[in-house]
Amino acid sequence: MTDSRTAPEDITAAVLASFEGCPDGRLRELMQTLASHLHAFATEVGLTQDEWESAVRVLTATGHITDDRRQEFILWSDSLGLSMLVDALAHALPAGATESTVLGPFYVPGSPLREYGANIAEEAAGTPAWVQGRVLGIDGAPIAGAELDVWQNGDDRLYAVQDPEAPEDHLRGRFLSRPDGSYAFWAVRPVPYTIPHDGPVGSMLAATGRHPWRPAHIHMIVRALGYKTLTTHIFDEESPFLDSDAVFAVKPSLVRQFVTRSADDPDRPDGVSGEWVSVENDLVLVPEIAD
């Protein structure tokens, strides 16, 4: 007698076949490949009903905790290394170009446009940091009028978007490079901080013996007409967690020395007293037409 029972591979085949009529070829490829890998994962690990139900609960909790100030889905992508993998696949760079890294969940568009040398800290937030450098093309030519969209955390380990008591534009701002490609601004020396770990992602980290810490860094998005937009970080070389970033975003080429300066340092810019730090950070962009 013929066995008419449905085998697991029959279910996979039926799901893949269901997408054959998709008129968008790329969408068809994405959905069939996604389904194929999901089914292969479940088969390989012998996924149980209880485990499947737990996964559904985790996804449901992720949706519930996500709002305008908290993006738990991005945290999942970051903490599983998917964000960095997608970034790496999308940004094959020529030699000398500044490397990209993750956007992170705390970016807020519409930061105020500030003057050269202005301070992004609208209240006390840590050791003053003078950040300067040039925006250049891969040929070494300066890029004038490039926009640097900057944001960071303060010594309380929070971004302004996380702190309802902080001024709206605290620790963020946009700057334009000068005709010689130079830019400069006052920030604060960043400190390590934890990604939000009171939700589903934090539960995963705790259960798997991972920590939620990110090393100290300043975020930048650099935009210039005729060049590919660059999303990157400046990492502090003295920070802990450089070798175990919770979101896998550290690239050695982005690590910088934050030099400690004294109040009587002859290079001290106007408007600062007490100890401060300085960091040099050139940014090299790739033309839009480059492969």
Side-chain angles (χ1 to χ4, degrees), residues 178-258:
R178 300 195 293 187
D180 64 353
S182 64
Y183 73 89
F185 59 89
W186 279 106
V188 297
R189 189 170 194 169
V191 298
Y193 66 92
T194 59
I195 62 173
H197 56 103
D198 58 343
V201 171
S203 296
M204 178 276 291
L205 294 176
T208 57
R210 289 177 54 189
H211 69 70
W213 286 92
R214 295 219 60 207
H217 62 273
I218 298 173
H219 292 263
M220 289 185 176
I221 300 175
V222 189
R223 307 177 182 95
L225 184 65
Y227 293 85
K228 295 181 179 180
T229 296
L230 169 68
T231 300
T232 192
H233 290 8
I234 303 172
F235 289 99
D236 186 342
E237 71 171 9
E238 295 184 10
S239 176
F241 309 112
L242 287 172
D243 59 351
S244 59
D245 183 4
V247 304
F248 308 98
V250 177
K251 294 180 177 179
S253 70
L254 303 180
V255 177
R256 298 287 182 267
Q257 182 182 25
F258 283 67

Side-chain angles (χ1 to χ4, degrees), residues 50-62:
D50 287 344
E51 290 166 340
W52 174 81
E53 290 175 358
S54 293
V56 171
R57 286 194 295 271
V58 166
L59 290 174
T60 301
T62 298

Side-chain angles (χ1 to χ4, degrees), residues 24 28 36 51 55 91 98 134 160 174 204 245-246 249 257 278:
D24 185 321
R28 180 172 63 253
S36 177
E51 290 166 340
H91 297 101
T98 299
R134 297 173 299 159
R174 291 179 296 126
M204 178 276 291
D245 183 4
Q257 182 182 25
S278 64

